[in-house]
Amino acid sequence: GVGMPAYVNPSAWVKRLLANAIIGLGFGVQLDVAWQVTSAYLSLMVLSIVVTLVLALGLGRLLRVDGVTSHLIGSGTAICGGSAIAAVAPAMQARNDQMALALGSIFTLNAIALIIFPWLGNVLDLSQTTFGAWAAMAIHDTSSVVGAAQAYGDEALQTATTLKLARALWIIPLALVTGWVYQWRTRQESTRKLKVPGFIIGYVLAMVVAAMLPQLDSVYHLAFGLSKQLLVFCLYLVGASITWARLRAAGWRPLVLAVSIWVAIGVFTLSWLLTMTTF
């Protein structure tokens, strides 16, 4: 591993800490804001998620990237980057090296998006609303969505933030379905009982509590902030447990997969949005 004593086993910690981090992130989701998304955007959102996941698995097979890594990269691209990968990984018992490859690819593209999206928006002369919707649909992590939209304008920022919150809610069905499919494939016929991962129940409860008791907003804000820090620490543990041999063995294929589906979904969502504004 890199920078990690031999007697420390980060894998044993990561899954438990990730589960707690995801639960805490639920306190940061404003349900009332997320549900304001229009029906037109909702159809694009659902279609883009499905297309991204199908593309990830199909291209992953062509590029000979293992199915778990392909699904993690697809999940991160389809919904909300690192958070989606962190939520899906425990549901399918992903190894730390598989998580690290997916996270590394997604984080690299996040950094590129911050620079290239506002530039492309200006080149294509996109309206504030169109750019905000495009950023929310095609950029992975919320922080990068906010950064790119803020650079473009206040109206773009408002649109992007609202839609990104709605997009993030899809972590719940994605993690559930992933967990169920994994359970179905890995268990014998007699023991096939579908279970809801505990952290997903906690995530939903955290959202509901935050919506029903808004007077405790300062507490939720603190819990959300601590959970983000915990998520960062988990990602450090994931990175620290990786061996160079495994990264070299994986090679360039996961990054090519991540770039390919990102470009595809970026073009697809922008084309849809421009068609919407034309009619």
Side-chain angles (χ1 to χ4, degrees):
V2 182
M4 180 65 69
Y7 56 83
V8 175
N9 179 16
S11 298
W13 287 87
V14 168
K15 288 182 178 66
R16 190 175 299 170
L17 292 175
L18 268 180
N20 290 323
I22 294 297
I23 291 168
L25 290 177
F27 287 112
V29 178
Q30 293 173 278
L31 277 175
D32 54 338
V33 177
W35 284 122
Q36 285 170 8
V37 67
T38 64
S39 57
Y41 285 133
L42 188 62
S43 57
L44 172 58
M45 199 178 296
V46 174
L47 194 56
S48 67
I49 289 168
V50 172
V51 168
T52 304
L53 291 170
V54 170
L55 266 179
L57 295 174
L59 280 175
R61 192 166 290 182
L62 280 175
L63 288 165
R64 298 198 299 279
V65 177
D66 73 88
V68 173
T69 304
S70 296
H71 186 63
L72 292 176
I73 291 173
S75 301
T77 307
I79 298 178
C80 54
S83 301
I85 292 169
V88 169
M92 65 191 311
Q93 303 290 307
R95 298 192 312 268
N96 280 6
D97 61 302
Q98 292 168 324
M99 283 180 63
L101 286 169
L103 289 165
S105 303
I106 296 300
F107 289 161
T108 302
L109 298 181
N110 262 324
I112 294 169
L114 273 171
I115 301 163
I116 203 169
F117 264 68
W119 175 76
L120 276 172
N122 284 311
V123 168
L124 298 169
D125 196 26
L126 300 180
S127 70
Q128 290 278 316
T129 307
T130 302
F131 180 84
W134 185 41
M137 299 287 183
I139 300 178
H140 307 84
D141 278 313
T142 304
S143 55
S144 294
V145 171
V146 170
Q150 201 166 17
Y152 205 75
D154 290 343
E155 198 181 334
L157 178 62
Q158 192 175 357
T159 305
T161 307
T162 305
L163 284 173
K164 183 61 178 169
L165 283 170
R167 186 175 158 211
L169 289 176
W170 289 88
I171 282 181
I172 300 167
L174 179 66
L176 280 176
V177 171
T178 299
W180 287 341
V181 169
Y182 177 82
Q183 288 170 38
W184 190 258
R185 282 183 173 178
T186 55
R187 296 184 181 209
Q188 299 300 318
E189 286 285 345
S190 58
T191 59
R192 281 182 177 170
K193 291 181 181 177
L194 299 181
K195 295 178 182 175
V196 177
F199 67 89
I200 290 296
I201 297 171
Y203 183 79
V204 174
L205 285 174
M207 285 193 302
V208 171
V209 168
M212 292 180 69
L213 299 170
Q215 61 269 34
L216 297 175
D217 186 57
S218 57
V219 177
Y220 309 142
H221 190 72
L222 177 64
F224 181 65
L226 289 172
S227 296
K228 284 201 291 186
Q229 294 303 315
L230 182 58
L231 186 59
V232 170
F233 178 62
C234 287
L235 301 184
Y236 161 74
L237 288 179
V238 167
S241 66
I242 304 311
T243 61
W244 290 115
R246 274 183 168 171
L247 288 177
R248 279 199 301 271
W252 48 269
R253 296 172 193 275
L255 186 58
V256 169
L257 172 62
V259 171
S260 301
I261 60 175
W262 184 48
V263 170
I265 211 64
V267 171
F268 170 70
T269 51
L270 182 59
S271 303
W272 182 300
L273 289 164
L274 289 176
T275 306
M276 278 172 60
T277 54
T278 304
F279 291 104

